[in-house]
Amino acid sequence: MKPSSTQPVGVAGIYPILYAFFDGSNRLDRDAMRRQMETIVRTGAPGAAVLGLATEVNKLSRTEREQVIRWAIEDSGDSLPIAVTISGATIDAQRDLASFAIEQGATWLILQPPVLHAGETPRPEAFYFDFFAAVMQGFDGPVGIQNAPEYLGVGLSHESLERLAAQCSNFRLLKGEGPSILLAETVARIGHLMPVLNGRGGLELLDNLRAGCAGMIVAPDCFDWQQRIYKAFSDGDDAQAEQLYKEVLPGIVFVMQSLDTLICYGKRIAAWRMGFDVEHDRDTTLLPTRFGLEAARRFAQRLGPLA
């Protein structure tokens, strides 16, 4: 099966989501962020995303989130679409950041549901439906939601997704985050309405494409390899796609043990492949070990330079 043909122009393929690099003073590292985006542009990515879990968005102040958005758009030189993940506890907070992103030149928005904190009473699905509808109201251009109940603890059913698409004409993207067998059901229900993208670092990449996913949003450490796999699959060269996936899969599995592992080691693999070192870790619960660094360096060398 080829990737879905229903997606809007430009919404297909492997989209890297930026890491947040910090300098020795615990500030966003301007040079590293610039090199990251410039590398993504040079490798021919169809677009890029910012402010997701890989960007450690929960550790960034509002000012820093705005910096990441501005820098990404500036460093891309308007040469590729930029998707901005929007998080926030209230409708007003999300609409405010969404407005800022659009004013800066963001191409897509991906809304996250407000997450439950320890001790909070779970909210009904109708709450999230109304929340997303209110945030989307009045914005031009494609708006998506991150529907990942297995990871975020909340989400919308297929029926609610269909109703939301009928009510909000700008709801035209879905970012899933789950096993391919679940994404296949989602594509079967709403794939005719919008492209469905998955993530999870590229785990089950080929099965996600076979399920009809339009592409993936993944961290930059091996996105170039995943682009090659996507192209081979799209061209009908299943043997080449399978071989490339076998080669890159051990590295994907290594960094996708947890979000902490991705931030600790996936970020270092990406940095080494781009020719610099991670200077500082912010508020991490997983510090690198000698064994972990040796493994990460080995994977970076196997993957080769990220041109």
Side-chain angles (χ1 to χ4, degrees):
M1 181 186 296
K2 297 287 173 58
S4 172
S5 61
T6 61
Q7 64 265 17
V9 174
V11 185
I14 308 301
Y15 293 78
I17 184 160
L18 270 59
Y19 282 119
F21 291 103
F22 303 100
D23 64 20
S25 300
N26 197 29
R27 295 174 300 200
L28 285 169
D29 188 324
R30 181 68 185 101
D31 289 340
M33 297 298 287
R34 180 184 293 111
R35 290 180 68 174
Q36 179 178 214
M37 178 55 77
E38 289 176 348
T39 301
I40 287 169
V41 171
R42 283 197 305 271
T43 55
V50 299
L51 297 188
L53 297 176
T55 322
E56 300 172 74
V57 64
N58 60 317
K59 303 175 187 177
L60 302 179
S61 67
R62 170 58 189 259
T63 298
E64 289 175 323
R65 296 181 190 195
E66 292 179 358
Q67 280 183 322
V68 170
I69 294 169
R70 283 198 307 268
W71 291 350
I73 294 169
E74 175 186 338
D75 297 340
S76 72
D78 293 325
S79 61
L80 75 174
I82 303 295
V84 177
T85 302
I86 303 295
S87 57
T90 67
I91 292 168
D92 287 343
Q94 291 208 8
R95 285 184 61 83
D96 185 47
L97 185 58
S99 296
F100 176 85
I102 291 171
E103 288 168 1
Q104 298 302 308
T107 311
W108 319 338
L109 302 175
I110 303 174
L111 311 181
Q112 284 189 341
V115 297
L116 290 173
H117 297 289
E120 282 191 293
T121 303
R123 294 158 173 155
E125 184 175 349
F127 168 86
Y128 297 101
F129 182 100
D130 293 339
F131 185 97
F132 286 134
V135 175
M136 290 182 191
Q137 186 176 3
F139 287 121
D140 294 328
V143 181
I145 67 171
Q146 185 167 8
N147 202 52
E150 293 83 11
Y151 286 82
L152 300 177
V154 297
L156 296 183
S157 66
H158 296 144
E159 291 79 10
S160 292
L161 292 171
E162 289 173 319
R163 288 195 298 110
L164 188 62
Q167 178 173 320
C168 302
S169 61
N170 53 353
F171 175 38
R172 288 298 176 260
L173 295 160
L174 185 72
K175 169 63 163 62
E177 201 85 41
S180 60
I181 54 174
L182 297 182
L183 268 292
E185 296 178 15
T186 300
V187 171
R189 288 292 298 270
I190 69 164
H192 64 292
L193 298 174
M194 65 188 70
V196 177
L197 302 167
N198 202 351
R200 298 209 310 158
L203 290 171
E204 298 187 290
L205 172 55
L206 287 172
D207 282 334
N208 278 291
L209 298 179
R210 293 180 181 119
C213 286
M216 310 284 278
I217 298 178
V218 299
D221 36 286
C222 66
F223 86 93
D224 54 331
W225 279 73
Q226 296 191 46
Q227 285 190 107
R228 292 166 62 196
I229 296 167
Y230 177 87
K231 184 178 187 306
F233 180 84
S234 300
D235 291 343
D237 192 344
D238 290 350
Q240 175 71 355
E242 291 280 3
Q243 181 58 41
L244 289 170
Y245 190 56
K246 287 178 183 178
E247 293 179 33
V248 77
L249 183 57
I252 294 174
V253 172
F254 173 71
V255 301
M256 287 305 296
Q257 296 300 309
S258 67
L259 179 59
D260 288 333
T261 309
L262 178 70
I263 297 304
C264 180
Y265 295 111
K267 186 194 294 189
R268 283 174 166 80
I269 291 172
W272 288 331
R273 295 190 66 208
M274 290 185 282
F276 62 92
D277 290 309
V278 171
E279 285 194 30
H280 177 72
D281 294 297
R282 175 182 284 186
D283 300 333
T284 183
T285 58
L286 179 65
L287 293 174
T289 65
R290 185 180 68 177
F291 180 86
L293 289 173
E294 289 173 353
R297 180 72 78 175
R298 184 172 64 250
F299 284 119
Q301 291 171 344
R302 287 181 184 176
L303 293 168
L306 190 50

